[in-house]
Amino acid sequence: MNNITIQSPQTSRLSSVDFDNLPFGEIFSDHMFVADYRDGKWQDARVVPFAPITLSPSNLALHYGQSIFEGMKAFKDKDGKPMLFRPEQHAIRINKSAHRMSMPDIPEDLFMDAVNTLIGLDHAWIPPKRGSALYIRPFMFATDAVIGVRASKTYKFIIFTGPVGPYYSKPLNLVTADEYVRAVPGGVGEAKAAGNYAAAIYPTDLAHTAGFDQILWTDNRDYKYIQECGTMNVFFVIGDTVVTPNLNGAILKGITRDSLLTLLRAEGTKVEERPISIDELIEAHKEGKLIDAFGAGTAAVVSQIQSISYKENGEYVKMELPDVKSRDISIRLKKEINDIRARLAADPHGWMHEVKVSSPVMG
Ligand code: COI
């Protein structure tokens, strides 16, 4: 166990939270974890009250984006015990992102001790309601105060948490990207790098203005091969087969994506990870074979897609998908994963990790 000092706030803000009306990502729990990287190692691991931090205006991350994050969740099981979903996968993935961005590794035991200590202290912030969760945001960013373009020598690793409701409140109307791209193979699309999300904001704003909810991202050469949708991995059900784009270096290796593929394969559903083009979707839709589509991610879990639009001769053509209530696979997968998280169903893959609760430490 790493030595993590703990200082709790004088008073908890918990009683001010309306757990029946949780927005996504606007409410933050009492504590946060912080560690500093300097002289080649992580030091001063500590839990402190959630509060603003100060940075030099010349902070390297602010200028050149050496900044990565994870998104993970804690749940209460049916007996009220705090549980983490596949935390070790997030520890592995943050280091893959770190490697791509020339940032230092976070030892897996430090990551796990930090998450467990934090959730142990703030377990009462985990919302009890199905569909809600305590969102956990681990992130690491450069802290050198220098504006030369190079890898920083110092970093901060912070984790904070907050109770969240569903990320999307309704099924999504997507528009296919035909001008902007999210990521390219060889770029940083596979990493959870802050800049990936920044680059998506302007095209997403344009999509909103045109009346769509999110973008169905495509490849950079032909705007043809599907990559992701919004901030999620994407799945299509064509006939009796579930198809998702194969990981090609531009697509995030989603942990929810992997979990859904595992569930589908375990139940014997036909699954294909392969390139899938918008032309194939159009064809499948014409033949009545595009029967379900959904995004998958930690924040959004399983989010159904209502329609997919694409441009033909300068005009939008909208493909309406079957009524979301009539869908089989997306409804079933969402229930299965929520049941495993609440420990209402067996956990044959060992995804759930119980967290030991602890009490605040007053300084
Ligand atoms: C997640 O699903 O946790 C993500 O990272 C998406 C986030 C941008 C809200």
Side-chain angles (χ1 to χ4, degrees):
M1 178 80 187
N2 287 274
N3 180 30
I4 300 174
T5 62
I6 299 171
Q7 186 206 339
S8 295
Q10 291 303 315
T11 50
S12 170
R13 289 176 283 103
L14 183 61
S15 60
S16 67
V17 179
D18 177 2
F19 278 94
D20 288 324
N21 290 297
L22 289 173
F24 185 92
E26 294 175 24
I27 299 166
F28 306 109
S29 318
D30 284 332
H31 297 85
M32 66 181 186
F33 170 87
V34 185
D36 298 308
Y37 185 87
R38 57 178 184 275
D39 304 328
K41 58 178 193 291
W42 288 104
Q43 344 205 346
D44 302 336
R46 57 204 184 271
V47 170
V48 292
F50 179 86
I53 51 176
T54 53
L55 292 176
S56 164
S58 62
N59 170 288
L60 201 145
L62 294 178
H63 298 269
Y64 308 124
Q66 229 195 344
S67 180
I68 56 173
F69 70 95
E70 275 300 308
M72 50 194 287
K73 277 181 173 169
F75 304 87
K76 267 190 188 139
D77 77 0
K78 60 180 189 319
D79 305 316
K81 289 196 191 122
M83 308 292 298
L84 295 167
F85 182 74
R86 307 192 75 182
E88 74 298 341
Q89 291 303 316
H90 293 277
I92 292 168
R93 192 172 65 179
I94 200 168
N95 284 328
K96 289 202 171 126
S97 300
H99 183 79
R100 177 62 184 84
M101 303 297 285
S102 263
M103 299 166 85
D105 264 20
I106 299 167
E108 198 173 320
D109 63 331
L110 175 63
F111 185 97
M112 296 295 285
D113 288 350
V115 171
N116 276 289
T117 304
L118 196 58
I119 306 307
L121 283 162
D122 279 337
H123 63 94
W125 287 78
I126 304 175
K129 205 164 150 185
R130 194 171 167 93
S132 301
L134 188 71
Y135 190 76
I136 306 169
R137 175 49 63 90
F139 66 113
M140 191 220 299
F141 61 95
T143 51
D144 276 8
V146 56
I147 53 166
V149 181
R150 60 157 173 82
S152 183
K153 295 187 179 76
T154 63
Y155 297 85
K156 263 194 198 311
F157 170 37
I158 299 182
I159 311 175
F160 63 81
T161 73
V164 296
Y167 194 75
Y168 294 114
S169 53
K170 63 174 191 54
L172 300 171
N173 292 300
L174 302 182
V175 63
T176 308
D178 60 6
E179 185 176 5
Y180 297 99
V181 292
R182 191 196 84 92
V184 296
V188 295
E190 207 172 71
K192 262 185 109 60
N196 286 336
Y197 296 78
I201 290 173
Y202 176 64
T204 306
D205 283 348
L206 293 180
H208 289 162
T209 304
F212 303 103
D213 299 314
Q214 282 297 331
I215 295 178
L216 186 59
W217 297 105
T218 51
D219 72 284
N220 61 305
R221 245 189 54 164
D222 308 313
Y223 300 102
K224 187 170 165 176
Y225 288 97
I226 313 293
Q227 294 183 339
E228 298 188 14
C229 74
T231 58
M232 301 177 287
N233 294 117
V234 65
F235 289 72
F236 305 97
V237 183
I238 302 178
D240 65 352
T241 307
V242 180
V243 186
T244 191
N246 55 305
L247 301 172
N248 66 354
I251 294 174
L252 185 79
K253 291 184 174 168
I255 293 161
T256 307
R257 175 188 184 279
D258 177 74
S259 308
L260 299 184
L261 288 172
T262 304
L263 291 176
L264 287 165
R265 288 190 172 117
E267 69 184 20
T269 301
K270 253 168 70 186
V271 173
E272 292 175 0
E273 294 177 71
R274 61 166 173 81
I276 174 163
S277 68
I278 183 69
D279 298 343
E280 181 180 346
L281 292 183
I282 294 168
E283 204 50 40
H285 183 255
K286 275 188 190 141
E287 292 171 4
K289 289 188 184 156
L290 183 58
I291 55 178
D292 199 351
F294 50 95
T298 296
V301 195
V302 172
S303 286
Q304 290 172 313
I305 294 166
Q306 181 58 65
S307 71
I308 300 172
S309 296
Y310 58 95
K311 257 203 193 130
E312 200 173 69
N313 305 321
E315 301 286 330
Y316 286 118
V317 180
K318 188 176 195 175
M319 294 191 283
E320 274 293 340
L321 272 64
D323 180 13
V324 291
K325 292 195 202 73
S326 73
R327 314 259 185 104
D328 171 30
I329 294 209
S330 53
I331 292 177
R332 188 152 43 80
L333 280 177
K334 188 171 183 171
K335 178 174 174 353
E336 272 181 54
I337 202 151
N338 279 333
D339 282 352
I340 291 174
R341 287 166 164 178
R343 294 216 290 182
L344 290 165
D347 174 22
H349 309 288
W351 288 340
M352 302 309 294
H353 293 244
E354 188 177 336
V355 177
K356 221 170 109 224
V357 305
S358 57
S359 307
V361 179
M362 306 317 268

